[in-house]
Amino acid sequence: MHQDLARLAEEYWEYSLEQSPTEALLMGDHRYDDRMEHASREAEDVHIARLREFASAADAVDPDALDEDERVTRDTLVHLAGAEADHEEGRLVEFAVNHAVGIQAMMPVVIPQLPIVEPEHADDLVDKYRGIGRLFGEITERVREGVARGRTPVDEHVDKTVAFIDAYLASAVADDPYLNVRVPAVFDADAEAAWKDRLAGVIESDIRPAYAAFRDVLRDEVRPAARGADRPGLLHVEGGPEAYAAAIRRYVTLEMDPEDVHHIGLEQVERLEEEYRTLGSSVLGTSDVGDIFAALRDDPDLHFTEGPPIVEASERALAKAKAVMGDWFGRLPQSDCVVSETPTGPIAFYQRPAEDGSRPGTFYVNTASPEDWGTFQIESMAYHEGIPGHHLQIAISQELEGVPAFRRYASISAYAEGWGLYSERLAEEMGLYESDLDRIGMLWGDSMRACRLVVDTGMHAKGWTRQEAIDFMVEHSPMAVGQIANEVDRYITMAGQALSYMIGRLEIDRLRASAEEALGDRFDLPGFHDLVLGSGLVPLRTLGGMVDRWVEAAR
């Protein structure tokens, strides 16, 4: 590789790991086990400046002096560093308070996944827990800054976050999720008990007091100044429109106007209703979209009542996909993918395999509320999170050789989530869906992602209220009302991220259709899939150039 670019790519990756020690630990890099992320204004300023340096240095590399793969590295680095810097300039941490996806809720989900394998890892976790207390203190100061600048979260999010923290602080330390961690295999009962006592001590001296201080500031200082649910969007916050534009660039990786995204969402919603009418007639005996949505929401026969059947159905779907994936992909991951039950976190999510092979890729299903799972949702979710979705995308990327590490592990939402959503439709081509009811589950997922385009832009660029966003999704998707409210709250706090799913899917669809039209009988679908998955995570604009050059070479 071009010497300057290779050095820059390595420096950027090392910097990324040092800045995100928890993510590094999740990937099995134990060099920063005793550290925790930072959220202070000073740390943010330094981070932005460093990202600008990386983006500028990469942009200065002459693309004409690079080969094909080096151009991909250059373009991806320019995007990642530049888009993240732009996003950080929005200072969103000043009002990023959310009961469902805030740090107080997500940290207890992450902690049990940490690979605490050796005694020294266990020792380092004690120091890391002190860092959690420090991080909460920094975030507490940032939301105070937000109040001083008139940049505050939505009042309902504050209330629910306070209630969440109250419930956590009222729980017994013995039941604390921060104690529910992986234990080194070499520990005997006495060693484990002694270590857990040390963790409990830090939980009581650092973590819980930091939670309480955060709660107090939210309740006493932030809540009186909070925005109402009638003004949830970024356009109601100073600097918000610029922050939303930066969020779209970061998450979508294409230059798109919010108005264009909004109309794309409306078009997708309308198209999906035609598909519901067709499948609804054969499965539910009605072509009325409202009646179809009501049945999918409320019919108890279409929902689970226990956790084990959810896991079993997920395992069956994954087994079917494994059996035929070799017909649709030339490159397959060496790592296996398994299903695991969890009582915490999102309703479904994927964890990458360990690089050393000690842990397979895992498709987690949250069975805490089994009735939230429709029987029709399992297959499409398994194909999105597992195979041919995130497992193929992430495991193949991780196993690539000769590709800079930052590309193998990059976080590019439009590429990753676009592929996940593309995989739900690809599964239909692969003959994986068992029934038309399962195909309706595929539409269910599409509806959520199409509505996201409408309501995210509706709130952040057009001034919609929280209730208007909820009402739109109730009318145009079969999601349960409670799920819709949680989704809308997520979009309020994580502006722009939800756009990446459908925009990414549509762009992969477009690139595939363009290649099929150009190549005709010479189009090779497994070859196309290998191209898309064979370079690590890349911006959609970069992926488009890769496909164009692939087509030219195949003519």
Side-chain angles (χ1 to χ4, degrees):
M1 178 181 285
H2 186 280
Q3 187 174 3
D4 290 343
L5 185 62
R7 174 187 51 77
L8 194 61
E10 184 176 356
E11 287 180 0
Y12 173 76
W13 176 239
E14 289 300 317
Y15 173 77
S16 298
L17 292 173
E18 190 173 1
Q19 286 292 303
S20 304
T22 304
E23 184 66 26
L25 176 53
L26 283 169
M27 291 189 296
D29 186 333
H30 291 280
R31 290 177 295 166
Y32 312 108
D33 283 8
D34 60 341
R35 304 185 194 179
M36 198 63 207
E37 284 75 8
H38 289 269
S40 70
R41 178 70 177 237
E42 294 75 19
E44 192 175 67
D45 287 341
V46 172
H47 183 50
I48 291 170
R50 190 73 180 101
L51 290 170
R52 297 276 186 224
E53 290 174 3
F54 280 118
S56 178
D59 190 56
V61 176
D62 181 6
D64 292 336
L66 306 177
D67 63 24
E68 167 72 10
D69 192 65
E70 289 169 342
R71 288 193 189 98
V72 172
T73 294
R74 174 188 178 274
D75 292 351
T76 304
L77 181 51
V78 169
H79 166 77
L80 281 173
E84 184 180 353
D86 290 344
H87 192 253
E88 291 292 313
E89 289 278 13
R91 314 291 183 175
L92 302 184
V93 70
E94 293 178 347
F95 54 95
V97 175
N98 185 283
H99 54 288
V101 295
I103 185 175
Q104 78 288 333
M106 294 308 298
M107 190 63 70
V109 175
V110 171
I111 290 297
Q113 300 179 44
L114 298 179
I116 309 302
V117 181
E118 302 294 341
E120 56 265 31
H121 304 160
D123 288 337
D124 285 339
L125 191 65
V126 177
D127 289 330
K128 189 174 186 69
Y129 275 14
R130 294 190 181 96
I132 291 174
R134 185 261 308 151
L135 177 61
F136 267 91
E138 291 175 351
I139 292 174
T140 300
E141 289 306 310
R142 296 306 302 277
V143 297
R144 274 180 161 150
E145 290 176 20
V147 172
R149 298 177 62 197
R151 308 174 87 231
T152 55
V154 171
D155 51 15
E156 186 169 333
H157 291 186
V158 178
D159 292 339
K160 290 181 177 179
T161 300
V162 167
F164 179 97
I165 296 176
D166 281 340
Y168 166 65
L169 294 175
S171 67
V173 172
D175 299 326
D176 197 295
Y178 289 99
L179 285 180
N180 181 28
V181 291
R182 183 173 174 177
V183 179
V186 297
F187 276 6
D188 59 20
D190 289 341
E192 179 180 348
W195 177 54
K196 290 291 186 72
D197 283 345
R198 294 171 65 198
L199 292 179
V202 179
I203 290 169
E204 292 187 278
S205 67
D206 291 68
I207 293 179
R208 287 192 170 213
Y211 266 80
F214 183 47
R215 184 266 322 268
D216 292 348
V217 168
L218 291 179
R219 182 192 60 209
D220 301 335
E221 300 179 36
V222 177
R223 180 59 174 83
R227 281 177 287 147
D230 60 333
R231 297 185 297 123
L234 283 178
L235 82 167
H236 297 294
V237 177
E238 181 184 350
E242 294 81 7
Y244 191 48
I248 292 176
R249 286 194 300 274
R250 182 191 188 195
Y251 291 119
V252 173
T253 71
L254 297 170
E255 292 296 329
M256 299 191 73
D257 182 86
E259 192 68 32
D260 294 333
V261 174
H262 191 83
H263 284 297
I264 291 170
L266 292 173
E267 291 170 355
Q268 291 300 312
V269 166
E270 183 177 356
R271 180 188 61 76
L272 283 163
E273 290 185 355
E274 291 301 317
E275 294 189 79
Y276 276 114
R277 292 187 183 97
T278 300
L279 288 176
S281 296
S282 65
V283 178
L284 301 173
T286 178
S287 61
D288 183 89
V289 174
D291 291 342
I292 294 169
F293 289 173
L296 295 176
R297 283 192 189 111
D298 303 326
D299 187 341
D301 292 337
L302 297 179
H303 289 80
F304 289 97
T305 58
E306 296 178 301
I310 298 174
V311 177
E312 293 164 7
S314 300
E315 290 174 337
R316 287 195 301 272
L318 200 59
K320 286 193 299 181
K322 287 179 183 179
V324 300
M325 63 181 177
D327 298 333
W328 298 82
F329 297 85
R331 182 196 296 266
L332 297 174
Q334 300 174 27
S335 303
D336 193 13
C337 183
V338 300
V339 177
S340 183
E341 187 174 10
T342 179
T344 58
I347 192 169
F349 58 99
Y350 174 83
Q351 182 185 28
R352 69 172 64 246
E355 183 127 18
D356 62 5
S358 62
R359 184 187 68 243
T362 305
F363 160 37
Y364 284 95
V365 289
N366 184 337
T367 59
S369 300
E371 64 278 1
D372 288 346
W373 280 95
T375 58
F376 49 86
Q377 288 177 267
I378 296 296
E379 291 211 354
S380 61
M381 194 74 75
Y383 305 140
H384 181 115
E385 300 293 345
I387 298 172
H390 288 321
H391 178 65
L392 291 195
Q393 170 241 313
I394 291 173
I396 287 174
S397 177
Q398 185 169 294
E399 294 166 7
L400 292 173
E401 296 181 358
V403 174
F406 87 88
R407 276 172 49 193
R408 294 191 287 120
Y409 295 102
S411 177
I412 300 181
S413 190
Y415 173 97
E417 298 302 348
W419 176 262
L421 194 53
Y422 170 84
S423 296
E424 294 184 34
R425 290 278 176 167
L426 178 63
E428 169 74 344
E429 294 182 65
M430 296 168 68
L432 296 178
Y433 289 106
E434 196 73 28
S435 67
D436 280 348
L437 182 60
D438 295 306
R439 293 181 181 90
I440 284 184
M442 175 183 70
L443 302 186
W444 185 99
D446 271 358
S447 289
M448 175 171 64
R449 281 63 173 239
C451 285
R452 285 172 171 176
L453 303 184
V454 180
V455 302
D456 194 279
T457 53
M459 289 188 293
H460 293 297
K462 299 174 77 68
W464 285 20
T465 68
R466 176 178 180 271
Q467 192 59 49
E468 284 178 313
I470 291 172
D471 291 344
F472 182 89
M473 293 191 75
V474 169
E475 182 179 356
H476 296 288
S477 85
M479 298 173 66
V481 176
Q483 289 178 315
I484 288 172
N486 288 336
E487 281 287 313
V488 168
D489 286 338
R490 170 186 157 188
Y491 311 153
I492 291 171
T493 306
M494 301 175 66
Q497 191 275 338
L499 306 179
S500 57
Y501 297 72
M502 182 58 76
I503 294 298
R505 206 286 306 278
L506 293 174
E507 181 65 5
I508 294 172
D509 283 343
R510 185 191 71 80
L511 293 172
R512 173 177 161 178
S514 176
E516 286 178 323
E517 181 179 0
L519 295 178
D521 293 341
R522 286 173 292 173
F523 178 78
D524 173 28
L525 184 55
F528 174 80
H529 290 153
D530 290 351
L531 173 73
V532 173
L533 298 182
S535 293
L537 282 75
V538 297
L540 295 180
R541 184 170 54 250
T542 302
L543 181 63
M546 291 164 53
V547 172
D548 289 344
R549 291 185 288 275
W550 179 74
V551 168
E552 286 301 314
R555 285 183 187 273

